[in-house]
Amino acid sequence: MAEQEASGLQVLLSTLQSSCEKDVILNILNVLTDLLSLGTGRRIHYVISKGGSEALLQALAAAARTEPPDHSTLLPLLRLLARVGQRDRKFGLKVQKAEATDIILSLSRRNLGHHLHLIHCLWVLRVCASNVTTGTTLGINGAVELLFKVITPYSKRHVRTVRAAIEALAALLKSKSNSRRAVNRGYLGGLLRLYQDWHHNDVSNNYIYIRRGLLLCLKHITNIQLGRETFLGSRGMEILFTSIQDCLFCKNLDPIITTVTQILRKCYPKEPLPVATVRSSYSFPLPGNAKAEPPCEGSEGDYESNGEEEVEKDLDNENVESKEEDYDLETDVNKLRSRPVLDRPEEELGQYEAMCPELSHHFQELEPESEEEKSLEDRTESLLSTPSYFIPSATSVKRPNYRWRNQSVSEVGPDPGEMDLKVPQQSWTKKEKCRWDPIDEKRDTVEAAQDADSSEGEDPARSHVLTLRPLPEEAAWYKKMFYPECETSINPSPGERLQSSETVTNLLEKHQGDIPFHSPRFYMARAKRVKSIPDYKDMAFPDFWGHQPPPYSKPMLERKYGVQRNKVLDDVRRLIQPGDVIGRTVFDLDEPSHSSPGAPGCLTFFSKFESGNLRKAIQVREFEYDLIMNADVNSNQHHQWFYFEVRDMKLAVPYRFNIINCEKFNSQFNYGMQLVMYSVKEALQGRPRWLRAGHDICYYKNHYYCNTAAGGGMRGKCYYTLTFSIKFPHKDDVCYLAYHYPYTYSAMMSHLDVLEQNRNPKKVYWRQQTLCQTLGGNPCPLLTITAMPDSKKRDDLEQFYSRPYVFLVARVHPGESNASWVMKGTLEFLVSSDPIADLLRKCFIFKIVPMLNPDGVINGSHRCSLSGDDLNRQWLTPSSQLHPTVYHTKGLLYYLRSIGRAPLVFCDYHGHSQRKNVFLYGCSVKETLWQAGCIVDTAVITEDVGYRTLPKILDKVAPAFVMNSCSFLVEKSRESTARVVVWKEMGVLRSYTMESTYCGCSHGLYKGLQLGTQELEEMGSKFCLGLLILHLKSLPCSKKVMAQAALLLDLEEEITDRAQSVVHVPCH
């Protein structure tokens, strides 16, 4: 039957091409019209596949040759051609091949006075012009002039013809040569005037399609530089901006507003960032002859030629989240296979023996004369004093067969009467969130701080004067907070308040000590020893005082309809109505003398503290500021992280902030994410917390670009604006704003101090060593955590020494502070007295580098170290001089592999700026090849699928974790990351990157909520729980361990069954 239909259609088309009988042709055209007017587009595609377009074009050529033209044949032919041409992707080429372009133009010219005939010609002309090559040919032959003649002057007569001509002209102007032709003939100004006429006279909005068609013509013309210049010279910005002011509140006019906004954004005059150079304000001399990161090169016109598609995406699809594409999958099987290689002489590995003291420890402290006899002073001194073993640094001399001199590391016992850290027993299901019980932290912090100060005296070069940033200077508030008993007349001078020891004492006494695992005195002791490029003299209040999570989770911010275009229009108003633009620099990191802080009604900014990042602040209007972030040290890029102080605000006034030098093409700020804010007044009133804040938030491409001079050779780079508005909670407060919850190097170090002070040394084996010194001279800590052996019996010690390793690292990218919060949760769980943590410690030895890039974190970078390199792209061949933390972490992993103790699990904690949820990236040969479309011979390529076990477990136990977000593909661009290198070179099957969103969750218990520090810390503890279950599923366990696990966990039948049939391992 199908063959008969095909043969019947072919007969019709063949007859159409060969017949000269008018009636026969008309009958065939009527049959085709009826055939194509019914059903779906499948019929049209079928006709196209059988040569329908060619037959119709040939019939058109024959009909056009008759004199006079027979319109009874031509009109149905033109209608069919317009209908078929819309679905035929090669229609333009077929028109050229049939030499029909001149025929269509000729018919159009001959029918200028007959609008019914002309409109049919215009329909076909528009379809032909959709092919750029055909459109260019039509333009050369005068199509642009013809169409402009049809649409001008303004008239409401023959509206259908005008609409068809405008749509055809818009299609023609997609060709750049046609756009140039239109500009050169002065048509751009004519289009602007015509648009104004239609706009002013279309009071009832009946001709929206004509107005939008004219805007599309302008949009295509302004895709070329000449078009944009002419548009600006014709006052196009003012005309279009003014025209849509009365359209903004009518939703039916959205097509008009959107197109106008796109044109305005594109034509906004490009200008360089208002900085002398985009290179970082901070530079660091590199050791040897090493050079900082070379500038990124881009083509001169990148910021112009590639913007159009992004504009479309930003404005037309505001609620569509961008998806990552796998564009560079590795398909070379040899490169995907595990290949245990060494990137350094084997004799160098001996130095890492000292970093595994647990393998040679004799546990003398298990004798009666152990921890309880140590004094608090001895413990604190050993806590903060310099370790006695050799610490590799960036300038260390390599010595063959060198063994570290001394591997003794002091151990710290509990404070007398100190409570163990307690964590509620957890179920392994996602029924409820894990919450930490607050601990009593009112220990003798004064004595501990004195010990810390005395330890500083041993190495004066490592400490410096550090003062807390001034508090709010409102006299009445200050007096009420710190001098409630004083008489009204007493008015302490705000500028001198923090210089007074009495005030500092009052401040420390006011601290409630109820923020778990945080001590302001410990923080100060650590912060004083930090080495930074700017040599920080100030300490941010939130880091000193601490953060307590709010008792609720914040929903993702609902995006207001049209908020982005409104912000863009505000930017355009700046250009065309500059009367209220102040343009005053109020903060400048490069030129402090150029700043004018403290001006009446002006906010005061500051960022020169640990992890701070704000380079410049410019007051645009009374309550609006443009902000510029600092690039990473020794770099001219990676602008994303910000953290700064602002003060002198008014109450209940919405301040708008525009961060104008963002780099990523999209951001979670477009999909519900908010920044975070910390109020000093709120903190001192008992609410010390970072909160999600900001409204009218959006992220879009702006008109700034990087010129060659400012970029040090980098050209054509475009920037994006993050804009948000904030109402501050108090007048004359001191507030801090940040990209995400800050977590400084000093916070991490003082957190380790508190954990070490509070652990139970009889149960928790804890060693804090220094992996190496960073380029900046800061120690990078290495932790070893496991369970103490039950006794000095041989079996107990053998079980201790034979535990498998888990290797965890975090914060290789400084701006990913969420990774540190997850790591914080992991560490607190590991040293806690929770029975599950106790069992986990008996199953594994944990090696942890909690911060791989201390220098980047300290100096407020987003992605790089002081060398200007992304350390997570250096794992293939790290430099001991430029990348010491990665070099020595990899060396330690090599050493563990060389003694047959490669870790069971390796995980690198990260943050992700463009996706929601928490998820893992792993490595799989088969999945990578399948995804790339390669044929996989399963007989040749075998693979253990155990890499999927841990993410499947986490999907069940961790509320924020989503298995469907995980990926196990290996990309070429990721071959030098920790995850891939550890998988390939160390042979670690379960080598992962764990990504935590900056935003929130799209699935599960936290769906629709932004993640806070409590949820991130919970993820860290749940990761530990997942490791325990992985151990029970994957490794032989003693009956004692299985029995303990059965009591603690609601295990699957699979694990319970294993307990019955497990191979016996001696109980310890």
Side-chain angles (χ1 to χ4, degrees):
M1 185 67 181
E3 291 179 3
Q4 291 176 354
E5 289 178 0
S7 60
L9 178 60
Q10 287 170 339
V11 168
L12 281 176
L13 296 176
S14 177
T15 306
L16 180 63
Q17 290 173 286
S18 58
S19 176
C20 296
E21 295 290 333
K22 178 181 176 180
D23 291 341
V24 173
I25 293 173
L26 283 174
N27 285 332
I28 293 173
L29 293 177
N30 288 333
V31 170
L32 290 173
T33 301
D34 291 341
L35 179 69
L36 300 183
S37 62
L38 301 171
T40 63
R42 292 178 62 187
R43 289 192 178 185
I44 297 177
H45 287 296
Y46 184 70
V47 170
I48 292 169
S49 69
K50 297 302 178 183
S53 299
E54 292 89 341
L56 290 170
L57 286 168
Q58 191 170 332
L60 176 67
R65 284 195 293 267
T66 60
E67 285 293 342
D70 186 356
H71 288 96
S72 63
T73 305
L74 281 170
L75 294 185
L77 258 175
L78 291 168
R79 279 196 297 270
L80 281 168
L81 278 167
R83 190 174 183 84
V84 171
Q86 284 181 316
R87 302 297 182 98
D88 191 346
R89 294 181 180 178
K90 297 182 179 179
F91 187 74
L93 297 175
K94 292 174 182 178
V95 169
Q96 285 190 292
K97 189 175 181 181
E99 298 180 347
T101 52
D102 288 340
I103 295 171
I104 297 166
L105 276 176
S106 176
L107 288 171
S108 300
R109 290 191 180 99
R110 293 175 67 172
N111 288 290
L112 282 175
H114 199 297
H115 290 277
L116 178 61
H117 299 166
L118 177 60
I119 196 171
H120 286 74
C121 299
L122 295 174
W123 289 340
V124 180
L125 195 63
R126 183 192 54 166
V127 174
C128 294
S130 61
N131 177 277
V132 175
T133 305
T134 310
T136 302
T137 303
L138 288 167
I140 292 170
N141 293 329
V144 175
E145 293 83 355
L146 171 69
L147 293 172
F148 199 79
K149 192 173 183 180
V150 174
I151 65 176
T152 55
Y154 164 76
S155 172
K156 285 190 177 179
R157 295 181 62 198
H158 311 298
V159 170
R160 289 183 66 210
T161 306
V162 172
R163 176 183 179 180
I166 289 173
E167 290 173 350
L169 180 61
L172 278 172
L173 292 173
K174 288 181 180 179
S175 160
K176 291 186 177 180
S177 63
N178 287 340
S179 289
R180 278 190 288 272
R181 184 174 290 105
V183 174
N184 290 332
R185 282 168 171 67
Y187 293 159
L188 192 148
L191 287 170
L192 279 171
R193 289 189 294 273
L194 192 60
Y195 172 75
Q196 283 181 291
D197 290 335
W198 279 102
H199 175 76
H200 292 315
N201 291 287
D202 186 20
V203 179
S204 302
N205 296 324
N206 294 324
Y207 304 108
I208 294 175
Y209 44 84
I210 289 181
R211 289 155 62 186
R212 185 168 186 270
L214 289 167
L215 289 172
L216 287 174
C217 293
L218 291 169
K219 179 181 171 184
H220 297 324
I221 288 178
T222 53
N223 280 341
I224 62 172
Q225 181 70 30
L226 178 62
R228 290 191 288 274
E229 291 172 357
T230 307
F231 178 83
L232 291 170
S234 303
R235 298 185 65 254
M237 298 288 284
E238 292 88 337
I239 291 170
L240 294 191
F241 178 81
T242 304
S243 72
I244 61 166
Q245 295 308 304
D246 54 354
C247 304
L248 294 175
F249 303 104
C250 181
K251 218 166 184 181
N252 293 337
L253 297 177
D254 273 358
I256 302 284
I257 302 167
T258 300
T259 310
V260 167
T261 309
Q262 290 169 357
I263 296 170
L264 294 177
R265 285 180 66 183
K266 181 169 47 177
C267 295
Y268 200 117
K270 306 298 178 189
E271 58 181 289
L273 281 172
V275 290
T277 173
V278 296
R279 289 196 68 78
S280 176
S281 299
Y282 302 148
S283 62
F284 183 81
L286 300 181
N289 296 319
K291 293 184 178 180
E293 165 204 80
C296 290
E297 292 291 338
S299 64
E300 186 71 50
D302 279 353
Y303 67 89
E304 295 174 353
S305 59
N306 297 330
E308 188 61 25
E309 289 183 10
E310 294 174 16
V311 168
E312 296 274 2
K313 186 187 299 180
D314 288 352
L315 284 167
D316 295 344
N317 301 303
E318 287 184 345
N319 298 316
V320 178
E321 202 165 335
S322 59
K323 301 287 178 70
E324 291 184 334
E325 295 181 4
D326 304 310
Y327 59 89
D328 66 337
L329 295 177
E330 180 59 77
T331 55
D332 186 335
V333 177
N334 292 324
K335 291 184 178 180
L336 287 170
R337 292 185 188 278
S338 177
R339 45 186 178 85
V341 295
L342 208 58
D343 67 356
R344 65 197 76 191
E346 189 171 356
E347 56 267 22
E348 279 193 23
L349 300 185
Q351 63 179 314
Y352 299 105
E353 180 183 351
M355 293 187 184
C356 299
E358 67 279 0
L359 297 181
S360 56
H361 201 290
H362 299 300
F363 296 98
Q364 299 300 322
E365 62 268 34
L366 292 177
E367 299 298 328
E369 67 281 5
S370 63
E371 301 295 328
E372 286 74 13
E373 297 179 10
K374 286 190 176 182
S375 68
L376 174 64
E377 290 80 6
D378 291 338
R379 292 197 308 274
T380 309
E381 184 177 354
S382 66
L383 170 68
L384 292 178
S385 63
T386 305
S388 57
Y389 52 82
F390 174 73
I391 300 172
S393 68
T395 56
S396 297
V397 179
K398 295 183 181 178
R399 303 180 188 178
N401 301 312
Y402 189 87
R403 300 284 173 167
W404 286 14
R405 292 196 297 269
N406 192 331
Q407 62 183 33
S408 65
V409 183
S410 57
E411 188 170 338
V412 180
D415 280 340
E418 195 72 19
M419 297 195 310
D420 290 342
L421 308 185
K422 296 187 182 296
V423 181
Q425 182 172 318
Q426 302 177 53
S427 164
W428 84 291
T429 61
K430 285 187 179 179
K431 293 176 183 175
E432 58 183 83
K433 293 163 60 173
C434 166
R435 296 183 182 274
W436 301 108
D437 287 338
I439 63 167
D440 180 11
E441 204 200 7
K442 296 181 180 178
R443 63 182 65 77
D444 192 358
T445 55
V446 176
E447 186 176 349
Q450 288 172 349
D451 285 339
D453 291 338
S454 67
S455 71
E456 290 165 20
E458 298 168 11
D459 185 7
R462 289 205 54 81
S463 63
H464 56 271
V465 176
L466 194 70
T467 58
L468 189 63
R469 291 290 297 155
L471 295 180
E473 297 186 355
E474 183 189 358
W477 176 87
Y478 188 89
K479 188 162 48 183
K480 178 182 176 183
M481 187 60 58
F482 293 101
Y483 301 97
E485 295 86 12
C486 290
E487 298 179 8
T488 311
S489 59
I490 297 179
N491 220 352
S493 170
E496 300 175 359
R497 288 165 190 159
L498 278 171
Q499 304 304 317
S500 163
S501 59
E502 180 187 355
T503 304
V504 174
T505 303
N506 287 345
L507 189 63
L508 288 169
E509 287 178 356
K510 187 171 178 60
H511 195 277
Q512 299 298 311
D514 57 354
I515 299 177
F517 311 106
H518 180 77
S519 162
R521 288 190 180 273
F522 275 47
Y523 186 90
M524 286 190 74
R526 282 297 184 178
K528 287 179 180 178
R529 297 165 63 85
V530 166
K531 291 186 176 180
S532 63
I533 294 175
D535 191 22
Y536 297 128
K537 298 292 190 294
D538 293 270
M539 186 165 47
F541 185 88
D543 306 319
F544 162 78
W545 196 254
H547 158 76
Q548 201 166 39
Y552 54 86
S553 296
K554 190 85 178 284
M556 282 187 267
L557 186 68
E558 188 175 343
R559 187 182 173 102
K560 277 188 186 177
Y561 180 78
V563 63
Q564 181 168 300
R565 73 183 183 206
N566 292 340
K567 297 284 189 177
V568 171
L569 293 175
D570 278 346
D571 292 345
V572 174
R573 183 179 288 109
R574 248 198 247 186
L575 175 71
I576 64 177
Q577 299 174 3
D580 63 341
V581 175
I582 299 171
R584 175 172 55 204
T585 299
V586 295
F587 175 77
D588 194 332
L589 200 62
D590 302 312
E591 298 287 347
S593 60
H594 294 175
S595 305
S596 54
C602 174
L603 295 177
T604 303
F605 294 85
F606 188 79
S607 66
K608 216 168 178 180
F609 48 77
E610 190 174 342
S611 291
N613 188 316
L614 177 66
R615 182 175 193 165
K616 193 171 185 177
I618 302 169
Q619 187 177 19
V620 179
R621 299 185 181 97
E622 185 179 3
F623 302 115
E624 182 178 358
Y625 295 82
D626 281 353
L627 309 179
I628 298 174
M629 295 177 287
N630 195 18
D632 285 7
V633 177
N634 280 347
S635 170
N636 51 25
Q637 54 183 332
H638 306 302
H639 307 92
Q640 184 168 323
W641 171 259
F642 60 87
Y643 180 21
F644 58 89
E645 175 194 283
V646 60
R647 57 176 68 219
D648 299 328
M649 64 283 294
K650 295 181 179 179
L651 181 64
V653 172
Y655 286 87
R656 176 181 171 181
F657 299 96
N658 311 303
I659 299 179
I660 61 174
N661 64 331
C662 303
E663 290 178 353
K664 296 203 173 185
F665 74 91
N666 208 345
S667 168
Q668 281 294 312
F669 282 115
N670 274 338
Y671 308 107
M673 176 177 162
Q674 294 174 284
L675 65 152
V676 294
M677 178 178 73
Y678 190 105
S679 161
V680 172
K681 284 190 174 182
E682 286 288 304
L684 292 176
Q685 291 171 10
R687 295 176 292 277
R689 56 190 57 140
W690 286 99
L691 295 173
R692 296 279 188 172
H695 59 276
D696 289 349
I697 300 176
C698 59
Y699 186 96
Y700 57 89
K701 187 177 177 183
N702 61 36
H703 62 283
Y704 291 105
Y705 73 98
C706 181
N707 64 13
T708 307
M714 184 175 67
R715 300 171 297 166
K717 179 178 182 178
C718 57
Y719 291 106
Y720 294 78
T721 291
L722 164 64
T723 179
F724 54 89
S725 297
I726 281 187
K727 287 184 179 180
F728 293 103
H730 301 281
K731 177 188 175 185
D732 293 329
D733 197 357
V734 177
C735 290
Y736 292 80
L737 303 179
Y739 181 85
H740 194 67
Y741 303 96
Y743 194 94
T744 64
Y745 171 74
S746 297
M748 182 265 296
M749 294 298 284
S750 60
H751 182 238
L752 298 183
D753 295 344
V754 174
L755 289 179
E756 190 166 5
Q757 286 274 329
N758 283 273
R759 71 188 175 88
N760 182 344
K762 291 184 178 180
K763 290 187 174 183
V764 182
Y765 178 96
W766 166 288
R767 291 293 182 278
Q768 180 175 335
Q769 300 169 276
T770 298
L771 176 73
C772 63
Q773 296 288 342
T774 67
L775 271 179
N778 295 290
C780 178
L782 168 70
L783 305 176
T784 305
I785 301 174
T786 187
M788 294 289 284
D790 290 341
S791 70
K792 292 183 66 177
K793 293 179 181 177
R794 180 177 176 181
D795 285 349
D796 287 335
L797 292 180
E798 187 178 312
Q799 191 276 340
F800 176 91
Y801 296 136
S802 63
R803 292 170 189 168
Y805 278 91
V806 169
F807 207 113
L808 307 178
V809 299
R811 206 69 182 279
V812 69
H813 293 146
E816 295 171 6
S817 59
N818 39 3
S820 282
W821 289 101
V822 177
M823 178 58 76
K824 182 175 184 285
T826 293
L827 293 173
E828 287 172 7
F829 182 81
L830 283 178
V831 301
S832 72
S833 58
D834 187 293
I836 295 176
D838 188 48
L839 185 58
L840 178 65
R841 290 191 296 267
K842 291 177 181 178
C843 292
F844 293 112
I845 298 173
F846 288 86
K847 287 288 182 186
I848 301 174
V849 183
M851 191 172 282
L852 266 174
N853 192 348
D855 291 339
V857 172
I858 290 166
N859 293 288
S861 293
H862 173 66
R863 196 167 184 87
C864 297
S865 66
L866 295 191
S867 65
D869 294 319
D870 179 346
L871 291 182
N872 202 35
R873 296 296 184 276
Q874 309 302 323
W875 279 78
L876 270 179
T877 54
S879 162
S880 60
Q881 285 195 317
L882 297 179
H883 322 120
T885 59
V886 171
Y887 182 84
H888 291 294
T889 302
K890 189 178 181 183
L892 179 55
L893 283 160
Y894 272 142
Y895 174 74
L896 290 174
R897 191 200 67 188
S898 71
I899 62 172
R901 303 296 297 274
L904 177 73
V905 174
F906 172 87
C907 192
D908 184 7
Y909 291 12
H910 280 254
H912 206 291
S913 67
Q914 299 200 43
R915 296 181 67 182
K916 292 184 171 66
N917 310 311
V918 180
F919 53 93
L920 289 180
Y921 287 131
C923 301
S924 165
V925 176
K926 284 186 177 180
E927 291 194 39
T928 302
L929 294 175
W930 283 332
Q931 182 68 28
C934 300
I935 298 174
V936 180
D937 187 346
T938 54
V940 176
I941 301 175
T942 58
E943 186 172 49
D944 184 346
V945 295
Y947 62 87
R948 279 185 163 266
T949 307
L950 181 58
K952 284 181 178 178
I953 293 169
L954 292 175
D955 190 56
K956 293 181 179 180
V957 305
F961 191 90
V962 175
M963 178 70 183
N964 288 340
S965 296
C966 296
S967 172
F968 304 95
L969 307 178
V970 181
E971 300 100 337
K972 296 173 186 175
S973 61
R974 303 292 189 272
E975 68 175 355
S976 56
T977 60
R979 162 180 63 103
V980 177
V981 170
V982 172
W983 173 66
K984 279 186 187 178
E985 297 187 13
M986 316 296 170
V988 177
L989 174 70
R990 300 173 181 86
S991 179
Y992 304 107
T993 300
M994 182 159 66
E995 300 277 3
S996 300
T997 181
Y998 288 104
C999 182
C1001 292
S1002 59
H1003 296 77
L1005 185 65
Y1006 298 147
K1007 182 178 180 179
L1009 299 177
Q1010 297 182 78
L1011 293 188
T1013 57
Q1014 184 165 292
E1015 290 76 28
L1016 292 169
E1017 290 183 49
E1018 177 195 56
M1019 184 64 234
S1021 67
K1022 294 294 186 183
F1023 185 80
C1024 295
L1025 179 59
L1027 290 173
L1028 176 60
I1029 297 169
L1030 174 69
H1031 185 283
L1032 299 172
K1033 278 176 171 280
S1034 307
L1035 299 177
C1037 299
S1038 68
K1039 287 185 177 179
K1040 182 177 179 180
V1041 168
M1042 293 304 298
Q1044 285 180 285
L1047 291 173
L1048 297 173
L1049 301 172
D1050 178 19
L1051 299 178
E1052 289 179 326
E1053 287 185 13
E1054 178 184 345
I1055 302 176
T1056 309
D1057 291 343
R1058 284 197 57 182
Q1060 310 300 325
S1061 57
V1062 69
V1063 178
H1064 176 68
V1065 178
C1067 297
H1068 304 301

